[in-house]
Amino acid sequence: HEPFCGGSAFFLRLWADGRLKRFQTLAKAGETRLRLEDTDDPGLDRAKGPYAFLSDTNPDLVGGMRVLRDDPDGLMDMLLFFYKAAGKSVEKLYPWVRDTFVPKTDAERAARFFFLNFHAFNAIWRTDRNGKFNVPLAKDRVHKHPDVGNLFRVSAALQRVQFHLGDYSDALQMAASGDLVYADPPFD
């Protein structure tokens, strides 16, 4: 499910395989174990409640996933802008998006994240001490583009997902008996 990484990728794999039907059924019945008053996620429909809770320390990932959930059209418009600007040369556009482009909106930040992550070497997201993304272009991905249909399907899957920016230990405190918990191992 590129360009999705970590726990988000695990969630999306379970969703795509239909293994989350039990959780979707519980959510439709109005059952939720999360304390919604504690959420920092402004896009979540509190009346319906979440059926999944995804947490990460990467603000670009969390912000990108929120935009994908809440504004997929804005995200697609911005991605289309990048690919039109690239023409046939992702090799020339990639360093500009990585080093020069300064996003001003959430959709621009999300599009930058997804574009770079999709075309980055090994599809990794790594920043230096100053927070600057520093992964080179993957030469084998210069002629590939994200599957737009898949991005809209993922957006639909994220409609009942609560996102949290923070350490996994914060997220674990939200879990209750019977919850499925997956903690992606840290990479130091």
Side-chain angles (χ1 to χ4, degrees):
H1 282 286
E2 288 188 37
F4 307 104
C5 47
S8 298
F10 179 72
F11 165 79
L12 292 170
R13 178 79 268 151
L14 290 176
W15 176 79
D17 291 346
R19 294 186 227 170
L20 291 178
K21 287 188 178 168
R22 176 180 172 269
F23 297 102
Q24 291 168 342
T25 302
L26 288 173
K28 285 177 185 171
E31 294 184 32
T32 180
R33 296 184 186 97
L34 299 178
R35 293 167 290 174
L36 295 177
E37 66 274 9
D38 293 342
T39 184
D40 63 349
D41 188 345
L44 184 71
D45 183 348
R46 286 173 168 72
K48 293 182 180 176
Y51 71 79
F53 179 85
L54 299 178
S55 178
D56 203 285
T57 58
N58 180 343
D60 296 296
L61 171 64
V62 172
M65 296 298 270
R66 284 179 178 163
V67 169
L68 179 58
R69 180 194 63 200
D70 300 337
D71 186 17
D73 292 319
L75 174 60
M76 298 311 150
D77 288 346
M78 200 58 219
L79 283 171
L80 184 61
F81 167 79
F82 284 154
Y83 287 107
K84 281 185 177 179
K88 294 189 179 191
S89 182
V90 169
E91 290 176 300
K92 289 182 182 174
L93 183 65
Y94 184 86
W96 178 79
V97 172
R98 182 188 62 203
D99 302 329
T100 307
F101 176 70
V102 178
K104 294 178 179 73
T105 67
D106 290 342
E108 289 177 356
R109 274 186 286 288
R112 179 181 182 270
F113 171 78
F114 287 117
F115 178 85
L116 291 175
N117 189 244
F118 185 81
H119 291 289
F121 177 75
N122 280 342
I124 63 171
W125 187 265
R126 181 187 65 214
T127 57
D128 62 18
R129 291 181 187 160
N130 297 319
K132 183 180 175 191
F133 181 75
N134 62 6
V135 179
L137 174 68
K139 298 292 184 184
D140 64 333
R141 299 189 64 83
V142 295
H143 300 292
K144 296 181 180 180
H145 302 297
D147 177 346
V148 173
N150 187 51
L151 290 174
F152 278 106
R153 286 187 296 277
V154 169
S155 177
L158 297 177
Q159 293 308 301
R160 299 283 302 279
V161 173
Q162 177 180 343
F163 293 102
H164 172 74
L165 178 61
D167 189 76
Y168 77 97
S169 59
D170 297 334
L172 287 177
Q173 292 187 17
M174 302 283 289
S177 177
D179 288 350
L180 169 66
V181 175
Y182 172 78
D184 194 26
F187 299 96
D188 293 324

